[in-house]
Amino acid sequence: MIASCPLPDKNIYVFGPYRLAPNRQLLSRNGLPVRLGGRALDILIRLVQRAGEIISKNELIAFVWPNTFVHEDNLKVNVSALRRALGAGAASAYIATIAGRGYRFVAPVTIEPTEHASSSWPASAYAQTLPKAPLTIGRDGDISRIAGRLAGARCVTIVGSGGIGKTSVAIAVGHRVRNYSDGVLFVDLSTVGDPQNAPAAIAAALDAEQNSFREIIDCLKGRNVLLIFDGCEHLLPTMTTIADHLLDALPMLSLLATSREPLRARSELVHRLPTLETPWTKPDITAREALDFGAVQLFIARAQEHGFYVLDDRDAPLVSSICRRLDGIPLAINLAASKVRVFGIPTLAAMLGQRFLLINGERTAPMRQQTLFSTLDWSYRLLSDAEAALFRILAVFAGVFHLQDAVVMAEIAELDASQTIDALERLTQRSIVCAEYRGGALNYRLLETTREYATKQLADVGEQDRAVKHHARHILSPFKRPTEDCMA
Ligand SMILES: Nc1ncnc2c1ncn2[C@@H]1O[C@H](COP(=O)(O)OP(=O)(O)OP(=O)(O)O)[C@@H](O)[C@H]1O
Ligand SMILES: [Mg+2]
């Protein structure tokens, strides 16, 4: 009779180039993890623990599928998979079939106690999937806070507008956390076009043999892993379902996602990434004062990468105003700083007013980050018709606006009050419109570069004149009573 809940086996079993750690459900070959389905791994564990003995088929079935009736064929299929994983040529060298009786592990096995073995065990089974630590100027607070939140919650999503630094911060958190004994697995979903292919991308990062959800669960079973899903916004709601399923099925797994809007997974905590701190409007700001701000530090660091540049008191007000104009968005600041060598600071500052960064960028960046236009276009293409129509119209607001302003302006797109409220809420969740409470009221605003993009879209659909005139009428006339009633 097999005990249904055996004590954890903390030994490491070594055979040939393999090391097997039953309590961590981990098999490695020459120091690298071997991907193996959960059932096949269980069979291997039982065979290796009792190496040299014949283990009957019934005993293996009872060990691997406790309290469940399964046909013997399932055992055969998994033993074949196990033999394949151990190397086709060497199959008989490890597991022998004893006709009519069962299986026997025939290779010599040595046992190391955990204390000795752990020092040579790979520190992180998935370390190779995590990109190297990026520059994260001005983000120490966010990185610590997110790492801290992960200690208490199993699902955290870093949310923010395009190019604000979500991926950079997620990678930095992956390097910071130390409490995942099986490491950090990074899955780049930004290049996955179709939500149906999301499981395949995850399976590929896991090096799983098949793309099925079952296989993914099997690979991660018993692993204490932080899974990073990077760039989810275009794969919603598929990623929500995947996150919920994985968290339910794998109690030792934690999830860190990045997305321009929340996943809405059941146990999700949202960390909204703010823009980098930018200097206040102060005409005589000094270089020393300006360099206290993350946005300026980033601008200078990137400008120096493209050629020798030192910030002096003469340039400090202009650089501060460039960073402010770019709303402290790292991607925008990077793009601007890469042009310093060609244009110099005063010309660059002057050109920013002419949609310069919207269309000029860096060829080496990923496609959707080559220009600000492509970054914003990525978000724009995910909008519904109503959201897109409202977004274009919001270009008329140069600064803060309120819900009732949006409702009045949306009349020209034939959106009623409730459609406008919905669309504005969605645009806010998608990090396209910024919302903040101030003085007891909810203030909305488009970032400067986002507004430039919206203006271009408005002009392209031929609505600009009408929108500007409607806006002028709205400013000049008192707010209409019926719409106020709707708000109430
Ligand atoms: N704090 C930072 N310090 C230095 N560079 C940064 C910082 N944050 C972001 N960057 C740089 O800005 C660019 C955009 O960052 P990142 O890709 O992390 O943004 P994102 O929010 O993930 O964008 P997307 O929404 O397109 O996925 C990258 O080139 C990155 O290296
Ligand atoms: Mg990203």
Side-chain angles (χ1 to χ4, degrees):
M1 168 102 188
I2 309 291
S4 59
C5 192
L7 287 173
D9 178 351
K10 293 188 176 168
N11 289 325
I12 303 287
Y13 296 84
V14 183
F15 50 94
Y18 295 95
R19 299 164 68 80
L20 176 67
N23 70 325
R24 304 172 75 192
Q25 296 263 301
L26 207 50
L27 174 70
S28 73
R29 176 170 41 209
N30 296 326
L32 291 174
V34 177
R35 306 286 172 232
L36 200 54
R39 311 278 190 218
L41 193 64
D42 285 345
I43 294 169
L44 179 65
I45 289 170
R46 178 40 46 120
L47 289 172
V48 169
Q49 282 171 329
R50 310 242 309 264
E53 287 180 40
I54 299 173
I55 315 285
S56 73
K57 290 178 185 170
N58 285 345
E59 181 178 336
L60 280 173
I61 288 174
F63 179 73
V64 177
W65 292 273
N67 309 320
T68 317
F69 174 79
V70 293
H71 195 274
E72 210 181 285
D73 284 352
N74 286 307
L75 181 62
K76 277 193 197 152
V77 168
N78 279 287
V79 170
S80 307
L82 178 54
R83 282 178 164 148
R84 271 200 310 278
L86 291 176
S92 60
Y94 293 109
I95 300 166
T97 306
I98 313 297
R101 296 178 64 193
Y103 299 97
R104 179 162 57 193
F105 196 85
V106 291
V109 177
T110 53
I111 300 177
E112 289 177 2
T114 317
E115 295 79 349
H116 168 72
S118 59
S119 59
S120 56
W121 196 261
S124 161
Y126 304 114
Q128 64 272 28
T129 67
L130 186 66
K132 69 177 188 351
L135 193 61
T136 45
I137 291 172
R139 291 299 193 201
D140 268 0
D142 291 288
I143 295 164
S144 308
R145 239 168 288 135
I146 294 165
R149 291 180 120 184
L150 275 169
R154 288 178 56 221
C155 178
V156 176
T157 305
I158 304 174
V159 175
S161 56
I164 203 165
K166 301 178 292 296
T167 300
S168 311
V169 167
I171 296 170
V173 171
H175 284 276
R176 173 82 58 95
V177 290
R178 290 271 170 269
N179 44 331
Y180 298 94
S181 52
D182 289 311
V184 178
L185 177 74
F186 183 88
V187 186
D188 179 4
L189 292 157
S190 65
T191 53
V192 176
D194 186 333
Q196 278 186 356
N197 296 333
I202 301 166
L206 277 165
D207 216 5
E209 281 170 20
Q210 289 159 27
N211 293 339
S212 73
F213 204 72
R214 175 79 251 164
E215 180 84 3
I216 293 170
I217 302 256
D218 278 350
C219 281
L220 291 168
K221 200 168 96 184
R223 304 272 159 99
N224 181 216
V225 175
L226 174 65
L227 196 54
I228 301 182
F229 283 162
D230 183 43
C232 299
E233 62 274 347
H234 60 302
L235 302 176
L236 300 178
T238 301
M239 292 313 298
T240 315
T241 313
I242 290 180
D244 281 339
H245 274 53
L246 289 179
L247 290 164
D248 282 350
L250 302 162
M252 291 170 75
L253 175 110
S254 295
L255 196 60
L256 176 62
T258 77
S259 175
R260 295 187 187 181
E261 68 170 295
L263 256 54
R264 291 180 202 85
R266 275 196 293 275
S267 54
E268 179 184 35
L269 272 185
V270 171
H271 182 98
R272 279 221 173 248
L273 203 58
T275 54
L276 289 181
E277 285 193 11
T278 48
W280 58 88
T281 320
K282 186 175 177 236
D284 57 349
I285 190 168
T286 63
R288 181 186 283 238
E289 284 170 333
L291 280 167
D292 273 347
F293 295 84
V296 175
Q297 290 165 19
L298 174 57
F299 184 93
I300 302 305
R302 292 296 189 198
Q304 284 173 350
E305 274 174 25
H306 293 270
F308 186 72
Y309 178 76
V310 178
L311 183 69
D312 57 24
D313 287 348
R314 195 195 46 177
D315 279 354
L318 278 178
V319 169
S320 301
S321 96
I322 291 173
C323 292
R324 218 171 26 249
R325 187 115 217 291
L326 299 175
D327 293 297
I329 302 267
L331 177 66
I333 293 173
N334 272 350
L335 294 175
S338 70
K339 310 292 177 199
V340 169
R341 207 162 84 127
V342 184
F343 298 110
I345 298 288
T347 311
L348 184 63
M351 285 196 308
L352 285 190
Q354 302 155 24
R355 295 192 198 153
F356 169 70
L357 284 181
L358 222 47
I359 43 177
N360 286 282
E362 278 189 302
R363 292 247 162 76
T364 50
M367 273 294 268
R368 72 165 198 279
Q369 293 190 343
Q370 288 190 356
T371 62
L372 287 187
F373 188 91
S374 46
T375 290
L376 291 159
D377 218 33
W378 172 270
S379 288
Y380 184 67
R381 279 187 282 117
L382 296 175
L383 302 182
S384 69
D385 288 349
E387 289 160 17
L390 179 64
F391 169 64
R392 290 191 297 268
I393 289 165
L394 297 180
V396 296
F397 298 116
V400 162
F401 60 92
H402 298 108
L403 178 55
Q404 54 269 44
D405 303 316
V407 169
V408 171
M409 281 309 298
E411 286 166 5
I412 60 167
E414 290 171 9
L415 297 177
D416 64 24
S418 77
Q419 287 170 317
T420 308
I421 293 168
D422 273 1
L424 189 57
E425 161 80 11
R426 295 287 296 133
L427 289 173
T428 309
Q429 282 173 354
R430 292 177 187 272
S431 313
I432 291 176
V433 172
C434 310
E436 63 171 356
Y437 273 103
R438 195 164 279 184
L442 194 52
N443 294 337
Y444 295 95
R445 166 175 98 87
L446 291 185
L447 295 182
E448 210 29 54
T449 47
T450 310
R451 182 170 174 247
E452 284 179 15
Y453 175 89
T455 307
K456 183 179 179 321
Q457 295 301 332
L458 191 64
D460 284 356
V461 295
E463 290 171 353
Q464 197 168 20
D465 274 0
R466 226 167 86 167
V468 169
K469 283 182 188 144
H470 195 70
H471 184 225
R473 275 198 300 277
H474 168 53
I475 296 174
L476 295 174
S477 68
F479 190 62
K480 289 184 190 130
R481 185 88 215 144
T483 322
E484 240 173 23
D485 290 341
C486 285
M487 296 298 98

